[in-house]
Amino acid sequence: MNKNWWILCLAALSIMTIDVDVARAQDYDDTEAWLRHQLGLRTSQRRDNAEMKRLVSPLSQSTIDSVVKVYSGDRPVALGTIVAAEGYVLTKRSELTGDPIRVRMSDNRLLPGRIAAVRRSSDLGLIKIESDETFTPVTWVDQTPTAGSFLISPGRTGRTIGIGAIGSRRVRVEHKGRLGVQLVSAERSGATVRGVQPGSGADQAGIEQGDRIVAINGRQQPDRFAVVNTLSKMYPGEVVALTIVRGEDRLEMDARLRDLSVLQETENDARVNGPRSARLSGFDDVFQHDTVLNPDECGGPILDSDGRVIGMNIARAGRVVSYALPASVIMEDLAGMLNEARGSVLDQNTVAGQR
């Protein structure tokens, strides 16, 4: 048993037995005594309470120079993990939807970047920081802890943004990306839209009943089967360019696929689950944990109780469901991405196997 593991265990025990008077030290003057008592206990028993975050702070601080905030357009969209000294950053690809790409460092500097390589299957994007300085990359450790083990998610400034526990062995998460249309065969090429699901990407893009989809991402679609087959290969969060025939008009539309489970949920389900990543499924190999992250907090490293970087948070999928890519998956993809970004010529079979 290592020292950090024991610290976390003792901290967890102390949380359960914390002195109520300490919890009451907060300013709850307008609250009835019994409610103050319950609020104090409830707050103190959270795994990610302030005391626990202070205990694991040294672990999070160890990555302070290796975690950045990624901006796409004018919005902060994800965290990023520095993976090479010359300024390559790994992040969540599906969030990189607009220019310019910029990264904010731990010292608050905002530096320009560009997308250097992507891997659709694992939703990884590699950004090159446009700077000649030397950066501090993380060191990956190919070891997935057992179920129930503590996990720490550090943020850009070395602050702990979440403490969770691993919930299952490594799993495959099938994707159910949907455009949100019902299709029937068309008399001519493509497929005719019979219905549009409210709130779907198709609905938001302005697709209407009776439209005929004749091309996807510039490729002609001969029939309904081809349209369905092409769309089935797209992941949630991906934007597809659609060529639509509406009456005598030919229109170009961009629509973003959404996860089927999100489209089917009720308004109450959405409130309970909270904000989730646009790409929250379609991963060949991830481990699940219960850290509560915001979608823009994915893309950063995840640590074990020894402070080793064992993976990268890749999706917030539910109320207490987050997914992380194991270090082994990242290292396999990263080797090819770095070679591609640096201009190296890879064996075509290797490249094909990593996409």
Side-chain angles (χ1 to χ4, degrees):
M1 298 290 183
N2 59 68
K3 180 180 179 182
N4 288 321
W5 187 90
W6 280 109
I7 289 174
L8 290 171
C9 288
L10 291 172
L13 290 172
S14 67
I15 289 166
M16 299 302 295
T17 59
I18 192 168
D19 191 326
V20 174
D21 290 333
V22 174
R24 289 180 177 173
Q26 303 175 57
D27 187 13
Y28 296 140
D29 289 340
D30 296 330
T31 308
E32 293 292 338
W34 68 270
L35 184 55
R36 293 202 305 267
H37 175 85
Q38 293 301 320
L39 285 174
L41 286 178
R42 187 175 303 169
T43 301
S44 67
Q45 289 173 0
R46 285 178 57 95
R47 184 195 300 133
D48 59 353
N49 68 66
E51 182 61 27
M52 276 290 283
K53 286 184 176 180
R54 280 195 293 271
L55 283 170
V56 301
S57 178
L59 304 182
S60 295
Q61 286 286 325
S62 68
T63 66
I64 190 171
D65 294 323
S66 304
V67 181
V68 302
K69 192 71 175 181
V70 176
Y71 288 72
S72 180
D74 294 325
R75 296 188 306 114
V77 295
L79 291 177
T81 305
I82 296 177
V83 294
E86 64 265 46
Y88 284 105
V89 174
L90 209 56
T91 190
K92 187 169 170 62
R93 180 199 67 89
S94 56
E95 296 297 337
L96 305 177
T97 57
D99 290 324
I101 301 296
R102 295 173 296 170
V103 298
R104 189 174 295 281
M105 311 301 296
S106 61
D107 59 10
N108 219 35
R109 287 180 301 147
L110 194 60
L111 301 178
R114 59 178 173 81
I115 301 173
V118 299
R119 291 294 181 268
R120 291 180 61 242
S121 61
S122 49
D123 200 22
L124 289 174
L126 188 67
I127 295 172
K128 175 62 173 72
I129 301 175
E130 301 287 16
S131 173
D132 293 331
E133 63 187 284
T134 299
F135 298 89
T136 305
V138 299
T139 299
W140 303 102
V141 176
D142 182 13
Q143 184 171 339
T144 303
T146 58
S149 300
F150 277 108
L151 300 172
I152 298 103
S153 296
R156 175 179 64 87
T157 59
R159 179 178 63 90
T160 302
I161 59 175
I163 301 173
I166 205 167
S168 69
R169 58 182 175 80
R170 288 160 61 162
V171 296
R172 175 186 174 89
V173 181
E174 298 288 346
H175 84 86
K176 297 180 179 180
R178 296 292 186 271
L179 180 60
V181 292
Q182 294 176 308
L183 300 173
V184 295
S185 298
E187 293 182 3
R188 288 171 284 177
S189 63
T192 300
V193 176
R194 184 174 65 182
V196 179
Q197 187 167 0
S200 65
D203 183 31
Q204 294 169 353
I207 295 174
E208 299 177 359
Q209 182 176 348
D211 287 349
R212 182 160 54 95
I213 301 174
V214 296
I216 300 175
N217 291 337
R219 300 187 64 175
Q220 296 299 311
Q221 305 294 307
D223 51 31
R224 176 182 173 276
F225 175 79
V227 172
V228 171
N229 186 56
T230 300
L231 290 175
S232 69
K233 297 175 182 177
M234 304 292 179
Y235 294 104
E238 289 192 321
V239 176
V240 293
L242 303 172
T243 303
I244 302 291
V245 174
R246 180 181 295 170
E248 299 299 320
D249 298 324
R250 192 177 181 92
L251 308 173
E252 302 294 334
M253 296 182 176
D254 290 336
R256 196 174 200 186
L257 275 69
R258 302 186 65 189
D259 192 274
L260 178 63
S261 63
V262 175
L263 289 174
Q264 291 178 333
E265 69 183 9
T266 65
E267 185 176 340
N268 187 59
D269 290 334
R271 285 197 299 268
V272 170
N273 286 321
R276 281 149 296 164
S277 300
R279 165 82 180 268
L280 48 73
S281 63
F283 303 108
D284 291 335
D285 188 358
V286 292
F287 58 85
Q288 178 180 321
H289 57 98
D290 64 359
T291 311
V292 178
L293 300 169
N294 292 321
D296 66 354
E297 292 174 331
C298 294
I302 192 164
L303 316 177
D304 66 10
S305 58
D306 285 325
R308 299 178 298 183
V309 182
I310 60 168
M312 188 181 97
N313 285 314
I314 199 64
R316 166 77 187 278
R319 185 174 65 87
V320 288
V321 178
S322 293
Y323 294 126
L325 294 173
S328 59
V329 172
I330 293 170
M331 290 187 290
E332 181 180 354
D333 276 352
L334 182 58
M337 295 173 79
L338 285 172
N339 280 330
E340 181 181 319
R342 290 165 175 159
S344 298
V345 179
L346 294 178
D347 177 80
Q348 292 303 307
N349 292 329
T350 302
V351 174
Q354 293 173 343
R355 290 190 185 278

